[in-house]
């Protein structure tokens, strides 16, 4: 089944990393080609399997093929609109490119379905609004994060970010 082909491809991708680390670029490329072939076979078995698209996106990113990675993340989200892994991979890639507009668009769309999704809210506050100096939106979003994160193990970091945003906006509360 597709799961086994996907697992096999991830083993081959790891072997490629090991070969590359050992200086064997020819072997590394052969492992990657074999991994891609396994993923193609997985798609032939099930074209709607989100996991295959996630792995294809990782493979594309590792090879610097950002357009291909984006296409595969979007396909993963098409087949599983609630996929936090697909959202996270795509958002991370877009943030690293400084593509705030698209990060905001996909995150707001995801939050329409899951309004209390902390990683999405954190991304908006920290990686979209703050870098663009949209402090009012960053502060409001981060305050919502803190409200929702009462039992989250990262609450301390959320409070730290909130304090930074308050200081940046001149709203320091003592």
């Amino acid at each position: 089944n597709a799961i086994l082909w996907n697992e096999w491809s991830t083993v081959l991708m790891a072997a490629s990393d090991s070969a590359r680390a050992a200086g064997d670029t020819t072997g590394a490329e052969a492992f990657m080609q074999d991994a891609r072939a396994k993923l193609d076979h997985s798609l032939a078995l099930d074209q709607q399997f989100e996991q295959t698209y996630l792995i294809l996106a990782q493979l594309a990113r590792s090879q610097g093929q950002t357009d291909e990675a984006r296409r595969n993340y979007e396909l993963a989200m098409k087949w599983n609109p609630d996929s936090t892994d697909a959202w996270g991979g795509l958002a991370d890639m877009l943030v690293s490119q400084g593509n705030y507009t698209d990060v905001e668009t996909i995150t707001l769309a995801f939050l329409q379905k899951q309004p209390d999704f902390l990683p999405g809210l954190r991304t908006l506050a920290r990686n979209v609004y703050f870098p663009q100096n949209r402090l009012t939106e960053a502060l409001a979003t981060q305050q919502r994060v803190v409200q929702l994160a009462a039992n989250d193990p990262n609450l301390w970091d959320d409070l730290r970010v909130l304090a930074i945003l308050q200081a940046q906006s001149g709203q320091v509360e003592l």
Side-chain angles (χ1 to χ4, degrees), residues 28-90:
E29 188 55 38
F31 282 125
M32 279 300 215
Q33 288 175 359
D34 199 10
R36 177 62 198 223
K38 302 302 183 245
L39 292 167
D40 289 343
H41 185 75
S42 179
L43 283 178
L45 294 172
D46 185 354
Q47 291 186 340
Q48 298 179 15
F49 191 39
E50 165 209 6
Q51 182 192 54
T52 306
Y53 294 105
L54 290 172
I55 298 168
L56 282 165
Q58 291 170 346
L59 189 144
R61 278 185 82 177
S62 74
Q63 297 179 328
Q65 300 169 345
T66 55
D67 290 341
E68 180 71 12
R70 181 178 182 147
R71 187 180 73 77
N72 283 300
Y73 283 129
E74 289 172 347
L75 285 167
M77 288 174 44
K78 173 185 175 183
W79 297 118
N80 181 1
D82 296 325
S83 174
T84 57
D85 291 332
W87 168 84
L90 182 55

Side-chain angles (χ1 to χ4, degrees), residues 6-141:
N6 287 349
E7 288 177 3
W8 195 358
S9 74
T10 59
V11 169
L12 290 166
M13 288 167 64
S16 174
D17 291 343
S18 295
R20 193 169 315 284
D24 181 6
T25 55
T26 303
E29 188 55 38
F31 282 125
M32 279 300 215
Q33 288 175 359
D34 199 10
R36 177 62 198 223
K38 302 302 183 245
L39 292 167
D40 289 343
H41 185 75
S42 179
L43 283 178
L45 294 172
D46 185 354
Q47 291 186 340
Q48 298 179 15
F49 191 39
E50 165 209 6
Q51 182 192 54
T52 306
Y53 294 105
L54 290 172
I55 298 168
L56 282 165
Q58 291 170 346
L59 189 144
R61 278 185 82 177
S62 74
Q63 297 179 328
Q65 300 169 345
T66 55
D67 290 341
E68 180 71 12
R70 181 178 182 147
R71 187 180 73 77
N72 283 300
Y73 283 129
E74 289 172 347
L75 285 167
M77 288 174 44
K78 173 185 175 183
W79 297 118
N80 181 1
D82 296 325
S83 174
T84 57
D85 291 332
W87 168 84
L90 182 55
D92 176 66
M93 185 180 77
L94 294 170
V95 165
S96 71
Q97 297 171 339
N99 189 340
Y100 303 124
T101 301
D102 286 355
V103 176
E104 183 176 15
T105 300
I106 67 159
T107 303
L108 289 174
F110 201 83
L111 288 168
Q112 288 294 315
K113 296 174 277 188
Q114 297 183 35
D116 296 338
F117 181 55
L118 282 173
L121 293 167
R122 286 178 177 130
T123 294
L124 284 176
R126 299 173 185 195
N127 302 109
V128 175
Y129 300 147
F130 182 68
Q132 295 181 85
N133 204 30
R134 293 163 60 185
L135 293 177
T136 302
E137 292 164 286
L139 188 57
T141 304

